[in-house]
C-alpha cells in the first residue's frame, strides 16, 4: 500500500521442520572377547529420521561410523585390559539434527592357561610335580576338575595343584584327566588338560 494505492500481494512460506529424537535403551553393555553382541536398533519420535552413529574405538570389532541400526558383531579384545568404546548416535531429519545420545560397549579380554600343564607318569607312592597354571591377567582364577579321585586328588579345586602323593591300590594303571578352565572378570577362556598316570 502506497499513498492509498494497493499493489499486488506476494507470499512467503516459512517451513519449520521438527527436531527428531533418538531413544537409547542401553547405557553400558559388556561382552567377552569372541561373543556376539545384540543388534542395536534406533528409533525416535519421527519414522523418517536417519540415525548417524560413530564409534570411538574400532578395535572392539565395530567400524568407526555408520547409518541406521548396528547389526550384531563379534566383540574383539586380544589385549590384557578392557576395551571401551563410546557410541554416539545422532538423529537427523530434513537437515535438522536432534540431540545426540551416547552409550558404551566394553569388551573384556579372555584369559588363557599360560603354562600348559604337562602330563605326568608316576608310580604309586611317588610325589607329583606342582601343576602351575600361571596367570597373565592378574586376577584370573583357574578352576579344575579331576575325573579319577582314586589317585588321591580331589574331584574339583581352584588354583595351582600342589605336589601330592599319588595312589594306585589296584593292579592296572590309573589315569586321571585334569581339566583346567581360566576365568577372568566373568569371561571363560579355553580349557586345558593334563593326564596323570599312576602305575
Amino acid at each position: 500500500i502506497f499513498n492509498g494505492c494497493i499493489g499486488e500481494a506476494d507470499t512467503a512460506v516459512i517451513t519449520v521442520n521438527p527436531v527428531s529424537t533418538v531413544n537409547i535403551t542401553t547405557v553400558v553393555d559388556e561382552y567377552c572377547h569372541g561373543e556376539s553382541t545384540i543388534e542395536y536398533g534406533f528409533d525416535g519420535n519421527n519414522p523418517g529420521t536417519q540415525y548417524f552413529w560413530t564409534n570411538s574405538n574400532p578395535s572392539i570389532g565395530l567400524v568407526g561410523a555408520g547409518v541406521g541400526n548396528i547389526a550384531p558383531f563379534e566383540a574383539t579384545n586380544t589385549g590384557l585390559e578392557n576395551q571401551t568404546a563410546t557410541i554416539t548416535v545422532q538423529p537427523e531429519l530434513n537437515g535438522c539434527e536432534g540431540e545426540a545420545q551416547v552409550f558404551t560397549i566394553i569388551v573384556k579380554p579372555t584369559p588363557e592357561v599360560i603354562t600348559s600343564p604337562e602330563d605326568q607318569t608316576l608310580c604309586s607312592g611317588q610325589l607329583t610335580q606342582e601343576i602351575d597354571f600361571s596367570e597373565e591377567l592378574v586376577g584370573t582364577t583357574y578352576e579344575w576338575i579331576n575325573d579319577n579321585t582314586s589317585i588321591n586328588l580331589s574331584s574339583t579345586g581352584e588354583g595351582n595343584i600342589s605336589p601330592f602323593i599319588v595312589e594306585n591300590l589296584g593292579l592296572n594303571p590309573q589315569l586321571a584327566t585334569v581339566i583346567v578352565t581360566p576365568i577372568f572378570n566373568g569371561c571363560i577362556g579355553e580349557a586345558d588338560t593334563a593326564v596323570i598316570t599312576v602305575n
Side-chain angles (χ1 to χ4, degrees):
I1 300 173
F2 174 72
N3 206 14
C5 298
I6 300 173
E8 185 179 349
D10 206 345
T11 303
V13 177
I14 300 175
T15 302
V16 181
N17 290 314
V19 174
S20 292
T21 61
V22 57
N23 298 321
I24 302 292
T25 57
T26 188
V27 178
V28 178
D29 282 341
E30 294 186 358
Y31 298 96
C32 296
H33 169 72
E35 280 187 334
S36 180
T37 70
I38 62 171
E39 177 177 1
Y40 292 93
F42 308 119
D43 61 11
N45 63 345
N46 194 307
T49 302
Q50 285 188 300
Y51 300 98
F52 296 86
W53 54 265
T54 57
N55 165 27
S56 68
N57 186 355
S59 74
I60 67 164
L62 178 65
V63 295
V67 182
N69 295 340
I70 299 176
F73 64 93
E74 183 177 308
T76 303
N77 182 351
T78 56
L80 300 178
E81 298 179 351
N82 289 350
Q83 289 293 318
T84 301
T86 301
I87 313 300
T88 303
V89 184
Q90 177 72 65
E92 184 175 315
L93 178 65
N94 296 324
C96 297
E97 292 185 347
E99 184 178 353
Q101 299 292 323
V102 174
F103 66 97
T104 301
I105 296 175
I106 297 173
V107 183
K108 300 179 284 188
T110 299
E112 297 179 356
V113 178
I114 302 304
T115 304
S116 185
E118 295 183 3
D119 295 343
Q120 299 184 47
T121 301
L122 304 126
C123 297
S124 182
Q126 286 186 319
L127 189 68
T128 67
Q129 297 175 356
E130 180 181 17
I131 301 177
D132 180 0
F133 305 116
S134 298
E135 75 176 49
E136 187 174 23
L137 286 171
V138 176
T140 300
T141 59
Y142 296 92
E143 296 183 0
W144 52 265
I145 58 173
N146 164 34
D147 69 352
N148 185 352
T149 57
S150 72
I151 69 164
N152 195 30
L153 179 65
S154 62
S155 60
T156 61
E158 184 177 302
N160 296 337
I161 300 175
S162 298
F164 64 96
I165 296 174
V166 294
E167 289 183 357
N168 182 349
L169 304 179
L171 301 176
N172 298 309
Q174 289 292 319
L175 272 67
T177 301
V178 179
I179 301 173
V180 57
T181 303
I183 302 172
F184 175 74
N185 208 12
C187 296
I188 299 173
E190 185 176 351
D192 208 341
T193 302
V195 177
I196 299 174
T197 302
V198 182
N199 293 313

